[in-house]
Amino acid sequence: MLLPRFIAHRGYAAVAPENTLSAIKAAAEAGISWIELEVQLLADGTPVIWHDAHMARCSNSRAFLQEITLEEAQRFDVGGWFSADFNGERIATLKEVLALVSALDLGLILELKVSTARNPIRLTEHVIPLLHDSLPKEKLLVASMNQDALYRARHLAPALNLGIRYDDKVPRVWRWDVERIGAACVIANWENLYPAIVEETQQMALDLICYTVNDPKAFKPWWKLGVNSVITDDPTLFKSFEPDLTHKLKTEGTPG
């Protein structure tokens, strides 16, 4: 599986409302090859592309996802908060997104986003079946901060590429997490990263992806240490970065 150095955060959050069909199209139009998105469930079990537990920050509604159906959710505008150019944008379902990502020949990091008090197993069991044959294996990486979600994903799809995401510092037990899940990579918050983790992932032949990196100058030393890829709101910030823009994942993510 090939990953680029630069992966667009939430579709292409710098130029379009995050986690929307418009953001995905904008990424493709800009020549970006991979994007990152988050998936959650509505009350009726529909997987939708959304980050927060509620809709207040990125729509004209204050509803919580766990309390509304797809019919209700699609009444709300999820683009106008970003710009009038996106008035009328509606929340995207996972099915819609997979079809669009496939049509545009993009790669996708899909995060199983488990909000507080939400059931990680229910989310995973609704999402993983939709992924079968939706995208080529080498163009899909499923990630989560929730270990139960990842473990269930591995059971449901043994060949799926999985990534473990850490929000705070990478814990001491991260190697055990990787082995238990059969992960292909570690996804870490670069502001909480330390050099020993980079060295250790290299020793284990794992790829390391950092998020959310919007300061190329500050991040520059991490490339030399061995970080493979970054998730960024705007990949064009790194346009002066010269090294080879793709690399091969060293581990396919299949369990031993």
Side-chain angles (χ1 to χ4, degrees):
M1 179 167 79
L2 290 176
L3 283 176
R5 285 285 192 178
F6 312 113
I7 299 159
H9 187 224
R10 299 180 189 169
Y12 192 176
V15 302
E18 65 181 57
N19 283 319
T20 61
L21 298 179
S22 289
I24 298 169
K25 293 173 185 176
E29 290 169 0
I32 295 166
S33 60
W34 274 68
I35 60 173
E36 178 265 358
L37 301 167
E38 294 112 346
V39 63
Q40 298 193 65
L41 293 185
L42 296 174
D44 58 8
T46 303
V48 292
I49 305 303
W50 201 257
H51 177 270
D52 299 349
H54 53 77
M55 299 189 72
R57 182 173 62 87
C58 296
S59 83
N60 60 349
S61 168
R62 301 184 65 83
F64 281 81
L65 268 61
Q66 64 182 341
E67 298 175 352
I68 57 175
T69 65
L70 178 61
E71 181 181 0
E72 293 168 323
Q74 291 193 323
R75 295 173 187 165
F76 308 129
D77 186 312
V78 302
W81 68 274
F82 186 89
S83 165
D85 292 339
F86 298 99
N87 283 342
E89 187 89 26
R90 295 295 180 250
I91 195 169
T93 67
L94 178 58
K95 285 184 178 180
E96 290 174 322
V97 161
L98 291 172
L100 180 59
V101 169
S102 177
L104 296 174
D105 195 28
L106 297 174
L108 172 63
I109 295 179
L110 183 66
E111 181 183 352
L112 299 170
K113 187 72 176 180
V114 184
S115 295
T116 303
R118 301 301 301 272
N119 187 327
I121 304 303
R122 183 169 181 258
L123 171 63
T124 306
E125 291 181 344
H126 278 74
V127 168
I128 298 302
L130 297 179
L131 302 181
H132 294 313
D133 301 321
S134 62
L135 298 172
K137 178 187 173 184
E138 67 273 13
K139 289 201 168 187
L140 176 64
L141 177 68
V142 173
S144 186
M145 289 187 285
N146 188 284
Q147 299 286 316
D148 292 336
L150 288 173
Y151 192 71
R152 184 59 179 159
R154 172 59 70 219
H155 176 77
L156 294 171
L160 191 64
N161 290 304
L162 297 180
I164 298 179
R165 174 172 170 165
Y166 296 107
D167 192 23
D168 298 317
K169 289 183 179 180
V170 177
R172 293 172 182 257
V173 297
W174 72 268
R175 300 172 196 80
W176 185 85
D177 293 341
V178 165
E179 292 173 0
R180 174 175 176 260
I181 301 302
C185 67
V186 172
I187 305 174
N189 184 335
W190 78 282
E191 294 180 324
N192 292 328
L193 192 61
Y194 44 97
I197 293 296
V198 184
E199 182 179 351
E200 290 165 10
T201 56
Q202 291 177 324
Q203 291 172 353
M204 292 184 67
L206 290 169
D207 280 272
L208 178 61
I209 303 171
C210 286
Y211 73 93
T212 302
V213 184
N214 293 320
D215 187 339
K217 183 177 180 180
F219 189 79
K220 187 175 180 179
W222 291 104
W223 294 120
K224 295 181 180 180
L225 288 172
V227 171
N228 303 107
S229 301
V230 298
I231 297 171
T232 173
D233 288 331
D234 188 0
T236 65
L237 294 172
F238 295 83
K239 61 185 178 182
S240 62
F241 184 71
E242 296 299 335
D244 180 21
L245 298 186
T246 61
H247 68 280
K248 190 176 186 344
L249 271 176
K250 305 174 188 71
T251 304
E252 282 295 323
T254 53

